[in-house]
Amino acid sequence: MTRPAVLFVCLGNICRSPLAEAAFRLEAEHRSLDVEIDSAGTGDWHVGGPPDRRAQAVARRNGVDIGHYRARQVRPEDFRRFTHIVALDRDNLAALKALRPRDGTAELLLLLDVVEGRRGEAVTDPYFGDDTGFDATWADAVAGARGLADLIEGET
């Protein structure tokens, strides 16, 4: 059995996908899941930069330090390296489908597809709002992390 590997993807890799990565790291640790975890963006605006300060603050309030995370852009090899590439909204899912190389083997899905009653929903992008939007994003990330952990446990 291949070791599960999950890549979370949003647009710039500074808000939603780092929070999803952090929430899933917590859930995987809680369940003792042996899984590789990372995040990336479809865009290149923030490559090399840290997560948004508001994302860092909400993660810290929930017991996770993401200040060392650095934004990166999705690469073709990600579609072979990761078993699951998880988009945070439909636009990024469409971008991933367009970027996917022919030999890409990763399963592509939306994060909230694994949350009962939330199929097809996007994790709200908090970037242009106030700090409270980051709390809502964290809550979605936690719910998605639990559902994704259930999915991966069922596959192994």
Side-chain angles (χ1 to χ4, degrees):
M1 182 76 195
T2 303
R3 178 180 180 226
V6 179
L7 180 68
F8 295 95
V9 179
C10 68
L11 192 58
N13 193 213
I14 62 166
C15 295
R16 293 174 293 171
S17 56
L19 288 176
E21 176 185 350
F24 191 65
R25 284 184 185 281
L26 281 177
E27 189 66 22
E29 182 180 317
H30 173 72
R31 297 185 190 208
S32 299
L33 286 177
D34 180 23
V35 60
E36 179 183 351
I37 307 164
D38 198 4
S39 62
T42 54
D44 65 356
W45 309 279
H46 304 289
V47 169
D52 184 286
R53 64 171 178 73
R54 298 165 296 173
Q56 291 186 53
V58 75
R60 258 192 319 276
R61 283 195 305 276
N62 288 281
V64 187
D65 178 10
I66 63 171
H68 63 283
Y69 289 13
R70 290 296 174 262
R72 73 174 187 84
Q73 192 171 18
V74 173
R75 300 181 291 259
E77 58 268 21
D78 290 331
F79 294 88
R80 294 178 293 275
R81 175 179 165 199
F82 292 92
T83 56
H84 301 79
I85 298 182
V86 183
L88 282 287
D89 64 40
R90 284 185 294 262
D91 289 342
N92 283 295
L93 182 60
L96 289 166
K97 288 177 179 177
L99 291 168
R100 182 185 202 152
R102 281 201 178 126
D103 64 345
T105 55
E107 176 184 349
L108 303 180
L109 67 150
L110 281 175
L111 179 61
L112 294 180
D113 280 354
V114 297
V115 177
E116 189 171 333
R118 307 273 319 261
R119 185 165 195 75
E121 289 184 29
V123 172
T124 303
D125 187 348
Y127 185 73
F128 292 106
D130 62 19
D131 293 3
T132 61
F134 285 82
D135 291 316
T137 298
W138 177 258
D140 281 349
V142 168
R146 289 179 181 143
L148 188 58
D150 289 343
L151 176 75
I152 289 174
E153 283 181 331
E155 292 174 348
T156 56

